[in-house]
Every structure is written in structure tokens, then in C-alpha cells.
């Protein structure tokens, strides 16, 4: 055969050459999945298949481009031009444009992106005079999206008694009516959202047998990448196109199915044989990425799942070091432990910053990690997400706080004057700004006394502006009496932000709420740490100054720079790094608390952990904290029982590591009022200093364990110089530090 086949191992080559029926290729992590799919297409071209008769579906445009480029380098560009290769949405968009007359759409229909879709839903909710704090646009958008991916039309949605009862229980009984109005508006506008592309393709093929037959005859071979990530709508389209000729080739790894929250259904892969009984199963089990020990550890973990296609991935790379499990006293110390480990390995000369990735379960975890990286002068980047202080929900609250300090801050004022929505729209804001400019006044001055500025605004809107002004007068008065974190919590509760966050039940909405809780924690820490260090600059203005300096640094972008990567595990799928540190491996965090009552969800969380481990080429570290600030309060943490799922012979445990429970799922629920929105008042807690001496080993609730080096007096207060194991040397006032002798 041609030379390209010599670049494949035996299993890969067998999968590429097999043409006798359906093929299911189960590709373990790092096993060359993309290469096999690419070379399969090259083999088909060389076997006489015309480019236009090959349908290759991917999940990203990047994957399609890379495969096309590789195919072109081995064959020629002429052939690749006519391949039907691209994402599900792009391919079916082409088909729907051709066949639009069959589904009641114009051939030049437009595509609504997520923002367009959400704005239309907002408009409908407003027109129906519904409370957008109950009928949250993001939540309604998510419900409609899930319905479409399950092939439930607006009419079918309204006719389903179970769905209607569920909406009733969730106190959004008019969702079906919103869905119907939304769909009618889209049709009238000649527009489809992304989910509608898949729904309409299914309707097209279901209701037009001649059209379906035309594409069945055109697409003589159907290939699908990342099959474990397909949803019901995608799976059904693929099945309809290939069920007659049976020439279908799907590639994926059931062990890396981690997107159920987007509608992905692992059963599409696990039950592939039910739909194609004559399918041939190929297993790509050689991992070319990782050391033997990392591969073996990952195998021992994923074998605990019952819902899987059995395989044994192996590596012929060097044996490598064991996975190291490291514990810390707190999540703050954990961040410094991670930074110290990276510095230690970089000092050895073998690795640079870009050889490291720190992976975590939730975006909110990045905040303390970013702080540790900055303090240790390490360059980093947030991959697939924004830096903590650049996230919208954080910038919104910071804007409120900026206006409290300086009400003439126009940019901050404009950001939050109508967030949460309070009926002061863009037209009104433009009139206020115009009046301010004409009078050479600030925007706040106009808001304070609008009667002085000849505004052409109706009385209802003037009342809303007056309510906004009175709210900020209250905030400014309260800020004089409250601590930094107390005023932030007060603003979150009384501005409507908390109600806005509580009403968004999507995964993204819950993540935003976690981020706001983390901001309140950061503010409380700011005061606590400065007091312990004897620094009296603990005002709201001092905090905002510190944040602005962080933000300025975060905005400096240099994609070519040598930087440590910080990212969620979900964002890391498909990537690889020499060294991976998986942070926050604790019960109720990883696996998520939301998964604990559902065995199916626990298995997906375990697959997520498997993805994290298999990103590593040389070294993998797992860290956990014994206390972590969650839901507005410090909580006792236990190591994740997933650690126990890894065979002991592939792990080494650092000092002070506690073995997790083997079977029990331990949940710690702190007794916190208002779901964590009432921050603790920072208190001047007197400490018995005579019990401490140089040489004592102590524990600090953030910095972890350390040793007292010296004791001295500063302005009449006892101050200790302490060398912490991971956080370095700190000078702390004992009356605030809350040290515990160990």
C-alpha cells in the first residue's frame, strides 16, 4: 500500500483498511485517534470514493481544518476542496440552505448566535410582562435548547404533560408559550439558532423520504469524530444517513465523555452495536503521550466505572514517576504549594513555565491560584476562560463598589445603572449622558438632581432613576459603618444581584454564583491578611486599588510568552502537557456535590478525573486542601474518594496526606445563613501570646503549617516571623493571626 499506512501501528492500520461494514473505533487517550480518522479518509479517496461522497463530521472547525490540511499534504488540495467535512452545524446548514423549501424557510435564512437568541427571548419575556427574575432569559434559553436537542418542538413541548408539570414545579409555567412565540419569531425573521439547525435537519429527513434518499446516495461513507460527545439529534441524523448502506466509521473514547450538561449522551457510543449489529469494534490501546505509570494509574481509575467499553490502554514510553498526592492545610496554602512545586521543577532546568498546567473542577478555584502565581512572580494564563477579576459577574460587583467610592466614575455607573434590569434603558442613559455633557457636569450629578437638567424623560422613568439614586445613597452610608466584605455582601443582596443569580439555574449561572461567593471571600481575606501583617490600609478604596493592579496585569496579553496554564478540566480535553497538577481533589468539589446522588453523574465525574490525569506526559500531581472556603464559609474538606480508585502501586503520598474513605461519600454542610452572602465581620480576636516561642510548629488557617522563627514587639503588639512550609516567610500580629500550636 501507500507510504502513509506505514505510519500506523497494527491496530490503527486494521481500522483504516476495514471496509466490510460499520466500524466503531474506541480510541484511548493519546492513541492517535485523529490520525486514524484522517488516514481513513485518505484510504477511501485512494480506494475510488469521490470526495463529495464522503461526509466527515467533527465538533470543531479547528479539527476539520487540521484534518483537511493533513489530507491535502498526502493527496492534493483539489480533492479536499470537495470533501463534505466540517462541524455538524456547518454541514447541516449547507444541506438546509439547499432544501429550505421543504421546511418553510427561505434559502438565505440567517443564523442566530447565542447572544441573538438570548436577546430575542428577553424581548418576548418583556412583551409578555413576565418577571425576568423568575423567567430568567438564560434559563429559558437553556430549556429551549435542551428541548430542541431532544427533538421536542414547541408544539410537542406544550403537549407533553410531564414537561408542563415540571415547568409548573419550577414556577415557570409559561415556558411553553415563550418557546412557541420564540419559534414563530424566528420563522418570521427567516432565522435559525444553532439547535434549530439540528432539529430542522431531522424534520427534513423525517418528512421528506426523497430528500433523505438523495443524501444517502450522495454520502456513500459517513465518518464521525468524538462520537461520545454526540447528542440525540446528531446521533439520529447520522443513523438515518447510514443505516441502509452501513458504511459508517465513528471514532471516540467513552472514557472521555464529559459533556452531558451540553446534551452529549454516552449511550450513543455504548449502544452503537444496537443500531449497527454487524459493526466491527477496533480498540486503539497504545498511548503515545504518557509514561507507563500515568497510563496504568488512569486505567485503574476508569475501571471502577460500569458504563464503558472495556479496554486496556498501555504505554511503551518510560515507566516514569508515580502520581504524587499532596495535601495542604487550606486552599490558600494549596495554591502556594502548587506554585512552589512548579518553581522547584523549573529550577531543575528541565522544564519551563509552559510545560505546566494546573487543572481544577470549577472556575472559582482560579482566584487563589492566580494570587499565588502573582506573589511568586510566575507568568500564567487562564485558558478557555477569563481571569477571575475579568469575569462579568465580578466586574459588575466591582463597578458597584467603585461607584460607592466615587459616584462620578462614569464607566462604572454606566455598567450598573440598569443591572440588574430596573427599567433605565439605553435611550434614557444616552439622554442622561447628553445632559451631563451639555451642562459640563458628571453623570452622577444629573442622576442626583435630574430636575435641574431639563431632561425629556417621563415621570415613570424619573422615579426609577430616583430609586437608583436612593439605593446608592444607602450604599454609601452603609459603607461608612461596614467592613469591606460586609458592604460587598450588602450590595449583592440589596441591589438585586443575588436574586438575579438565584434565578439562573443553568450550569453557567451556578458557576457565576460560585464566583461571586469567591469574591466575597477574597475581600474578607484582604482585611484579615492586612491586619495580621500590621497593615491598617483595609478600606474599600484600598481593596479596589489592589484589584485594579491585578486587572491591569491580567489584561497584558502575550500568547507567545512562556506561561503556566490554568484551566478547568473540561477546557483541557484534547490538550497535553509535560506536567499536570490537578487541584482541589476533595469530596463535594471533585466529584461535584451535584453529582453525588446519581451514579450516572458520578461516573461522568470519574471520567472527568480520567481526562485530567491523561493530559500529563511526564508527571502528574494531585492536591487537596483540608479546609476550603465554600458557600460563604470555611469548610472542612476530605480527600476525594476518587483518589482511592487509583491502585496504590501507582501513587506516592506526601506527608500529612489522609487516605480517603473507600466507599462512603462524605458531605460537609456548613451552617451558613443566606447561602453564604453574609460575610463574617472581621473581628479583633485577642490571642494568648505567651504560649508561643521560637521553634514552635504552628498552623494558620490559610498559610498552613510553619515554624516560628522570631517573636518581637511592634507598636505594643506581639509579632511573629513564621516560615511556612509552602507560603514562605510571613510577619503576623499574633492577636489577629489565630495560630494553633501543633
Amino acid at each position: 500500500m501507500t507510504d502513509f499506512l506505514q505510519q500506523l501501528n497494527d491496530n490503527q492500520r486494521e481500522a483504516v483498511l476495514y471496509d466490510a461494514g460499520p466500524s466503531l473505533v474506541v480510541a484511548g487517550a493519546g492513541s492517535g485517534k485523529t490520525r486514524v480518522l484522517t488516514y481513513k479518509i485518505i484510504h477511501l479517496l485512494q480506494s475510488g470514493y469521490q470526495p463529495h461522497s464522503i461526509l466527515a463530521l467533527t465538533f470543531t472547525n479547528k479539527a476539520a481544518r487540521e484534518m483537511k490540511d493533513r489530507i491535502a499534504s498526502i493527496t492534493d488540495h483539489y480533492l479536499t476542496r470537495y470533501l463534505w467535512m466540517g462541524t455538524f452545524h456547518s454541514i447541516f446548514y449547507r444541506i438546509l440552505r439547499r432544501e429550505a423549501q421543504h421546511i418553510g424557510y427561505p434559502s438565505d435564512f440567517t443564523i442566530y448566535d447565542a447572544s441573538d437568541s438570548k436577546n430575542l427571548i428577553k424581548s418576548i419575556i418583556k412583551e409578555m410582562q413576565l418577571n425576568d427574575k423568575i423567567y430568567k432569559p438564560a434559563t429559558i434559553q437553556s430549556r429551549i435548547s435542551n428541548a430542541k436537542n431532544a427533538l421536542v418542538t414547541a408544539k410537542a413541548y406544550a403537549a407533553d404533560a410531564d414537561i408542563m408539570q415540571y415547568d409548573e414545579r419550577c414556577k415557570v409555567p409559561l415556558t411553553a408559550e415563550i418557546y412557541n412565540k420564540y419559534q414563530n419569531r424566528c420563522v418570521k425573521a427567516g432565522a435559525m439558532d444553532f439547535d434549530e439547525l439540528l432539529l430542522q435537519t431531522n424534520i427534513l429527513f423525517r418528512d421528506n423520504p426523497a430528500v433523505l434518499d438523495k443524501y444517502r446516495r450522495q454520502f456513500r461513507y459517513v465518518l464521525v469524530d468524538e462520537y461520545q460527545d454526540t447528542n440525540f439529534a446528531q446521533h439520529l441524523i447520522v443513523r438515518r444517513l447510514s443505516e441502509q448502506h452501513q458504511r459508517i466509521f465513528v471514532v471516540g473514547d467513552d472514557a472521555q465523555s464529559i459533556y452531558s450538561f451540553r446534551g452529549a449522551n454516552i449511550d450513543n457510543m455504548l449502544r452503537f452495536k444496537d443500531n449497527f449489529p454487524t459493526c466491527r469494534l477496533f480498540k486503539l490501546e497504545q498511548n503515545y503521550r504518557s509514561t507507563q505509570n500515568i497510563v496504568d494509574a488512569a486505567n485503574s481509575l476508569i475501571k471502577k466505572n460500569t458504563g464503558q467499553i472495556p479496554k486496556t490502554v498501555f504505554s511503551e514510553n518510560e515507566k516514569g514517576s508515580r502520581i504524587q498526592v499532596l495535601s495542604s492545610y487550606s486552599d490558600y496554602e494549596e495554591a502556594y504549594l502548587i506554585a512552589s512545586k512548579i518553581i522547584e521543577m523549573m529550577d531543575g532546568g528541565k522544564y519551563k513555565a509552559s510545560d505546566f498546567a494546573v487543572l481544577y473542577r470549577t472556575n472559582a478555584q482560579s482566584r487563589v491560584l492566580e494570587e499565588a502565581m502573582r506573589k511568586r512572580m510566575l507568568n500564567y494564563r487562564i485558558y478557555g476562560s477569563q481571569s477571575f477579576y475579568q469575569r462579568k459577574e465580578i466586574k459588575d460587583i466591582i463597578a458597584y463598589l467603585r461607584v460607592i467610592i466615587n459616584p462620578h466614575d462614569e464607566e462604572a455607573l454606566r455598567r450598573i445603572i440598569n443591572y440588574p434590569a430596573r427599567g433605565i434603558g439605553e435611550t434614557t442613559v444616552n439622554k442622561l449622558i447628553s445632559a451631563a455633557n451639555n451642562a459640563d457636569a458628571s453623570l452622577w450629578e444629573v442622576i442626583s438632581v435630574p430636575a435641574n437638567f431639563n431632561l425629556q424623560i417621563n415621570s415613570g422613568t424619573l422615579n426609577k432613576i430616583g430609586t437608583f439614586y436612593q439605593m446608592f445613597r444607602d450604599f454609601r452610608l452603609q459603607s461608612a459603618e461596614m467592613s469591606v466584605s460586609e458592604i460587598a455582601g450588602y450590595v449583592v443582596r440589596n441591589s438585586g444581584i443575588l436574586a438575579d443569580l438565584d434565578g439562573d439555574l443553568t450550569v453557567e449561572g451556578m458557576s457565576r454564583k460560585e464566583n461571586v461567593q469567591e469574591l466575597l471571600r477574597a475581600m474578607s481575606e484582604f482585611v484579615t491578611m492586612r491586619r495580621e501583617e500590621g497593615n491598617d490600609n483595609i478600606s474599600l478604596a484600598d481593596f479596589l486599588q489592589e484589584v485594579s493592579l491585578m486587572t491591569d496585569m491580567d489584561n497584558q496579553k502575550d500568547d507567545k510568552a512562556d506561561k503556566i496554564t490554568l484551566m478547568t478540566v473540561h477546557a483541557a480535553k484534547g490538550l497535553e502537557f509535560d506536567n499536570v497538577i490537578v487541584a482541589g481533589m476533595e469530596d463535594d468539589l471533585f466529584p461535584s456535590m451535584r453529582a453525588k446522588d446519581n451514579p450516572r453523574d458520578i461516573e461522568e465525574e470519574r471520567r472527568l478525573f480520567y481526562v485530567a490525569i491523561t493530559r500529563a506526559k511526564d508527571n502528574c500531581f494531585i492536591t487537596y486542601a483540608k479546609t476550603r472556603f465554600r458557600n460563604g464559609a470555611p469548610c472542612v474538606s476530605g480527600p476525594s474518594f476518587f483518589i482511592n480508585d487509583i491502585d496504590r502501586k501507582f501513587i506516592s503520598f506526601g506527608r500529612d496526606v489522609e487516605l480517603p474513605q473507600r466507599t462512603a461519600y462524605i458531605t460537609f454542610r456548613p451552617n451558613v445563613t443566606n447561602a453564604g452572602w453574609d460575610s463574617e465581620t472581621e473581628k479583633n480576636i485577642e490571642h494568648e501570646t505567651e504560649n508561643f516561642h521560637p521553634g514552635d510548629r504552628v498552623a494558620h488557617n490559610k498559610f498552613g503549617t510553619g515554624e516560628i522563627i522570631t517573636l518581637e514587639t511592634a507598636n505594643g503588639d506581639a509579632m511573629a516571623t513564621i516560615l511556612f512550609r509552602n507560603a514562605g516567610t510571613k510577619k503576623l500580629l499574633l492577636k489577629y493571626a489565630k495560630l494553633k500550636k501543633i
Side-chain angles (χ1 to χ4, degrees):
M1 295 297 292
T2 52
D3 289 340
F4 73 89
L5 292 175
Q6 303 308 312
Q7 300 176 34
L8 303 173
N9 65 33
D10 291 344
N11 289 348
Q12 293 171 333
R13 190 179 306 111
E14 187 178 10
V16 166
L17 295 177
Y18 179 75
D19 284 338
S23 299
L24 171 61
V25 181
V26 180
S31 64
K33 166 186 65 69
T34 304
R35 171 171 289 204
V36 167
L37 186 59
T38 303
Y39 285 14
K40 179 72 177 183
I41 295 170
I42 295 171
H43 169 66
L44 293 175
L45 291 171
Q46 295 194 347
S47 298
Y49 284 86
Q50 295 300 310
H52 70 272
S53 72
I54 297 173
L55 173 63
L57 298 167
T58 67
F59 274 85
T60 65
N61 290 308
K62 180 174 180 285
R65 283 195 303 270
E66 289 175 352
M67 283 198 287
K68 273 190 176 182
D69 290 343
R70 182 63 177 155
I71 293 166
S73 70
I74 295 176
T75 56
D76 62 58
H77 286 280
Y78 174 80
L79 291 176
T80 59
R81 286 174 55 195
Y82 298 100
L83 286 170
W84 279 66
M85 177 184 286
T87 64
F88 280 87
H89 294 98
S90 65
I91 292 295
F92 298 131
Y93 170 71
R94 289 175 63 184
I95 291 175
L96 291 174
R97 285 285 298 271
R98 285 182 169 188
E99 312 297 340
Q101 72 275 14
H102 295 290
I103 55 174
Y105 275 83
S107 60
D108 59 350
F109 67 84
T110 56
I111 301 295
Y112 278 175
D113 63 17
S115 177
D116 297 324
S117 170
K118 187 175 178 180
N119 287 337
L120 177 53
I121 291 170
K122 274 184 182 177
S123 298
I124 292 169
I125 290 170
K126 185 175 181 180
E127 290 163 12
M128 292 175 66
Q129 297 184 327
L130 299 175
N131 187 340
D132 62 4
K133 292 181 175 63
I134 297 173
Y135 286 87
K136 297 283 296 179
T139 303
I140 300 300
Q141 182 183 38
S142 177
R143 286 176 184 268
I144 294 173
S145 173
N146 290 338
K148 289 185 177 185
N149 285 324
L151 304 183
V152 178
T153 63
K155 183 177 180 181
Y157 190 103
D160 191 305
D162 290 338
I163 292 177
M164 298 304 289
Q165 288 174 12
Y166 179 76
D167 285 348
E168 191 78 39
R169 289 197 302 272
C170 294
K171 300 181 180 178
V172 285
L174 296 179
T175 300
E177 187 177 343
I178 298 172
Y179 184 3
N180 186 60
K181 288 180 181 290
Y182 171 78
Q183 199 53 43
N184 289 339
R185 294 273 281 273
C186 285
V187 173
K188 188 183 294 185
M192 291 189 201
D193 59 29
F194 285 166
D195 301 309
E196 189 72 14
L197 292 171
L198 300 179
L199 175 60
Q200 288 297 332
T201 303
N202 272 290
I203 291 172
L204 172 69
F205 289 161
R206 181 196 67 192
D207 296 345
N208 300 275
V211 174
L212 174 59
D213 186 61
K214 177 174 73 173
Y215 287 101
R216 280 174 171 168
R217 285 184 281 107
Q218 176 179 337
F219 299 134
R220 295 178 57 209
Y221 226 107
V222 178
L223 306 97
V224 186
D225 191 16
E226 304 284 12
Y227 200 69
Q228 78 281 349
D229 292 336
T230 54
N231 61 31
F232 178 67
Q234 293 162 331
H235 162 75
L236 192 56
I237 294 170
V238 169
R239 193 180 79 184
R240 280 182 166 143
L241 287 172
S242 54
E243 60 189 351
Q244 285 192 351
H245 59 59
Q246 299 279 300
R247 288 185 290 272
I248 179 170
F249 184 90
V250 303
V251 182
D253 184 6
D254 55 292
Q256 297 187 64
S257 179
I258 59 174
Y259 294 123
S260 66
F261 65 94
R262 296 180 185 169
N265 187 350
I266 190 175
D267 291 340
N268 293 342
M269 190 162 186
L270 298 181
R271 297 177 181 171
F272 186 79
K273 193 173 179 64
D274 294 343
N275 293 294
F276 297 94
T278 63
C279 84
R280 174 87 177 270
L281 176 64
F282 298 91
K283 297 181 181 181
L284 306 185
E285 297 175 302
Q286 182 171 357
N287 180 302
Y288 291 93
R289 173 188 302 150
S290 307
T291 63
Q292 294 178 28
N293 195 84
I294 289 172
V295 170
D296 291 340
N299 282 343
S300 69
L301 168 74
I302 204 62
K303 281 186 170 148
K304 303 301 187 298
N305 272 11
T306 57
Q308 63 175 299
I309 299 171
K311 61 180 178 298
T312 302
V313 181
F314 67 94
S315 172
E316 293 183 353
N317 296 335
E318 63 181 20
K319 186 173 182 60
S321 59
R322 293 183 176 190
I323 291 178
Q324 293 186 48
V325 179
L326 306 171
S327 73
S328 54
Y329 190 81
S330 66
D331 51 347
Y332 193 92
E333 187 194 19
E334 178 191 41
Y336 278 89
L337 168 66
I338 289 169
S340 297
K341 176 58 70 174
I342 292 173
I343 291 170
E344 174 191 325
M345 295 180 70
M346 287 172 59
D347 285 347
K350 182 177 179 181
Y351 298 111
K352 57 185 183 298
S354 58
D355 294 328
F356 294 86
V358 183
L359 310 183
Y360 37 83
R361 180 65 183 82
T362 67
N363 278 312
Q365 290 171 255
S366 75
R367 206 269 307 170
V368 289
L369 290 165
E370 289 184 72
E371 180 177 332
M373 297 294 167
R374 282 193 295 267
K375 294 286 178 64
R376 289 298 176 86
M377 306 297 289
L378 289 169
N379 291 323
Y380 68 91
R381 62 171 182 156
I382 305 287
Y383 183 96
S385 179
Q386 292 173 307
S387 177
F388 181 81
Y389 286 101
Q390 289 298 310
R391 292 170 187 155
K392 178 187 180 301
E393 59 274 15
I394 303 304
K395 288 175 71 70
D396 288 337
I397 297 172
I398 294 296
Y400 269 91
L401 301 179
R402 283 167 53 186
V403 174
I404 289 172
I405 295 299
N406 173 20
H408 302 289
D409 184 334
E410 182 174 321
E411 287 304 309
L413 193 53
R414 290 179 64 176
R415 183 180 185 93
I416 49 88
I417 192 171
N418 200 39
Y419 175 75
R422 50 178 61 92
I424 306 175
E426 186 176 351
T427 300
T428 299
V429 173
N430 288 337
K431 288 180 179 179
L432 293 171
I433 292 171
S434 177
N437 291 337
N438 291 337
D440 195 24
S442 72
L443 179 57
W444 177 255
E445 288 173 313
V446 178
I447 290 171
S448 302
V449 281
N452 292 351
F453 291 89
N454 192 31
L455 290 167
Q456 301 301 309
I457 295 175
N458 63 47
S459 59
T461 303
L462 282 172
N463 286 336
K464 292 170 184 175
I465 294 170
T467 301
F468 176 77
Y469 171 72
Q470 291 300 329
M471 179 182 71
F472 262 96
R473 279 198 64 189
D474 175 55
F475 288 166
R476 286 168 60 78
L477 288 171
Q478 294 293 339
S479 68
E481 305 296 329
M482 291 182 175
S483 69
V484 166
S485 59
E486 284 178 324
I487 186 58
Y490 186 83
V491 166
V492 168
R493 291 191 304 277
N494 292 283
S495 64
I497 292 175
L498 175 57
D500 187 65
L501 292 167
D502 280 342
D504 187 349
L505 302 179
T506 64
V507 173
E508 293 80 6
M510 296 174 81
S511 177
R512 284 191 284 272
K513 190 170 181 178
E514 289 174 351
N515 289 338
V516 173
Q517 290 173 337
E518 182 64 21
L519 174 64
L520 297 183
R521 177 221 179 156
M523 300 183 79
S524 180
E525 283 184 353
F526 167 80
V527 174
T528 300
M529 292 312 305
R530 289 208 168 186
R531 277 182 171 160
E532 290 183 7
E533 293 166 356
N535 187 337
D536 293 329
N537 298 315
I538 55 174
S539 68
L540 181 56
D542 294 322
F543 175 79
L544 293 176
Q545 181 185 36
E546 182 164 293
V547 168
S548 69
L549 293 175
M550 294 179 188
T551 304
D552 287 344
M553 188 178 76
D554 290 335
N555 282 335
Q556 295 174 8
K557 295 189 179 296
D558 183 0
D559 293 334
K560 296 180 181 179
D562 181 29
K563 295 182 178 181
I564 299 158
T565 298
L566 308 182
M567 63 169 72
T568 64
V569 183
H570 279 102
K573 185 172 176 287
L575 303 177
E576 61 181 39
F577 301 89
D578 286 355
N579 307 289
V580 166
I581 302 170
V582 188
M585 281 305 304
E586 298 142 30
D587 278 336
D588 283 354
L589 182 57
F590 202 167
S592 166
M593 182 186 297
R594 295 190 290 271
K596 68 174 185 174
D597 295 325
N598 188 328
R600 187 179 178 94
D601 291 344
I602 286 291
E603 294 214 342
E604 177 156 335
E605 292 282 308
R606 189 178 281 112
R607 293 194 294 270
L608 190 61
F609 187 26
Y610 174 86
V611 167
I613 292 172
T614 55
R615 300 311 92 199
K617 298 197 302 191
D618 296 350
N619 298 287
C620 181
F621 303 89
I622 297 168
T623 68
Y624 74 91
K626 296 175 183 177
T627 60
R628 183 174 295 275
F629 192 96
R630 301 190 68 196
N631 298 320
C635 301
V636 175
S637 305
S640 170
F641 66 83
F642 281 168
I643 297 173
N644 225 37
D645 287 343
I646 303 173
D647 194 306
R648 289 279 189 273
K649 62 188 176 186
F650 306 124
I651 303 181
S652 66
F653 294 94
R655 60 181 177 176
D656 301 328
V657 169
E658 300 169 354
L659 295 182
Q661 297 290 322
R662 181 166 291 280
T663 55
Y665 192 98
I666 299 175
T667 303
F668 181 85
R669 288 188 175 88
N671 183 19
V672 182
T673 60
N674 271 329
W677 299 104
D678 284 322
S679 297
E680 288 185 42
T681 302
E682 295 83 5
K683 299 174 183 178
N684 297 343
I685 300 177
E686 297 295 335
H687 212 286
E688 295 184 2
T689 60
E690 63 269 18
N691 291 330
F692 293 96
H693 306 90
D696 284 349
R697 280 179 47 75
V698 294
H700 184 271
N701 64 356
K702 290 173 58 179
F703 296 131
T705 58
E707 179 181 333
I708 295 178
I709 306 302
T710 62
L711 287 169
E712 58 189 291
T713 300
N715 298 322
D717 292 319
M719 175 172 278
T721 300
I722 306 170
L723 176 60
F724 289 99
R725 187 173 75 181
N726 294 303
T729 302
K730 303 288 181 182
K731 285 181 174 288
L732 304 178
L733 291 174
L734 289 183
K735 70 177 183 179
Y736 293 121
K738 307 176 193 177
L739 296 175
K740 182 172 68 176
K741 191 183 292 188
I742 55 175

